[in-house]
């Protein structure tokens, strides 16, 4: 475990400690008391912000799940909302929620709803200073949401974060995307629908799938989103996606 006060080292050490079931309390306390000037120096680049906030999110998502044991299923919508929206994460003297990290800092101040097209209103000065300037859709394949499509959680480093994200994406798409050549249809997880604006709409999603070899080059498949038990609106979703650029 690192003895440095460098925020990047702290975030990596925290996630590693959580993954290995160590004592995370000392690292949580140190991360909470990091001075803002230290954060400014440590999070000067896109890669530093990206790796820091991914590590913080994944560490705290696991810690809070273990501490609170919320009901995140279909019947626990209120518990789920509270879990992600409540300020429970102290970083640099500021209290953040999981939503703050995911949608404010990693997605460049976007709303969790609106299919990835709506901005997050009135971001704090902390969020404006330390958020990513642009939304990198690859973050959706790196965050642990305690779901069936949860990616293998890695400890991200500024030097290798782009390569590490690509590995996470390749795993995710191989496990969760199917392509039917006979019907030219790609069946994809619903996160592509939920955040399609992050990918640049339907064309962007198809380009993303081609880039990572989930569908053949030179194809423009029909996108079909996975059905879930409470999803009676799938046909409507498909119609809406077909007309959106």
């Amino acid at each position: 475990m690192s003895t440095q006060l460098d925020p990047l080292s702290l975030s990596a050490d925290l996630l590693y400690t959580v993954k290995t079931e160590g004592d995370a309390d000392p690292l949580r306390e140190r991360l909470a008391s990091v001075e803002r000037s230290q954060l400014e120096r440590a999070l000067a680049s896109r890669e530093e912000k990206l790796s820091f906030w991914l590590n913080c999110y994944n560490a705290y998502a696991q810690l809070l799940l273990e501490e609170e044991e919320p009901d995140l299923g279909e019947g626990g919508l209120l518990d789920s909302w509270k879990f992600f929206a409540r300020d429970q994460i102290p970083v640099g003297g500021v209290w953040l929620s999981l939503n703050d990290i995911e949608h404010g800092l990693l997605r460049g101040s976007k709303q969790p709803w609106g299919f990835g097209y709506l901005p997050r209103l009135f971001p704090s000065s902390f969020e404006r200073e330390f958020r990513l300037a642009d939304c990198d859709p690859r973050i959706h394949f790196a965050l642990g949401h305690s779901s069936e499509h949860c990616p293998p959680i890695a400890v991200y480093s500024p030097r290798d974060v782009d390569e590490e994200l690509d590995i996470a994406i390749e795993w995710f798409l191989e496990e969760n995307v199917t392509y039917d050549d006979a019907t030219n249809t790609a069946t994809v997880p619903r996160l592509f629908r939920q955040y399609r604006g992050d990918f640049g709409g339907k064309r962007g999603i198809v380009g993303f799938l081609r880039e990572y070899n989930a569908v053949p080059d030179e194809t423009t498949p029909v996108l079909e989103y996975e059905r879930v038990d409470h999803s009676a609106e799938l046909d409507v979703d498909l119609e809406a996606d077909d007309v959106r650029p």
Side-chain angles (χ1 to χ4, degrees), residues 65 74 101 118 136 168 188-189:
L65 278 170
E74 184 180 352
I101 297 178
L118 298 180
D136 185 337
V188 301

Side-chain angles (χ1 to χ4, degrees), residues 68-95:
E68 299 186 15
E69 298 183 352
D71 179 6
L72 301 184
E74 184 180 352
L77 294 179
L78 182 58
D79 277 356
S80 181
W81 181 84
K82 288 180 178 178
F83 179 76
F84 289 102
R86 191 162 60 233
D87 292 340
Q88 304 178 85
I89 305 169
V91 177
V94 174
W95 285 89

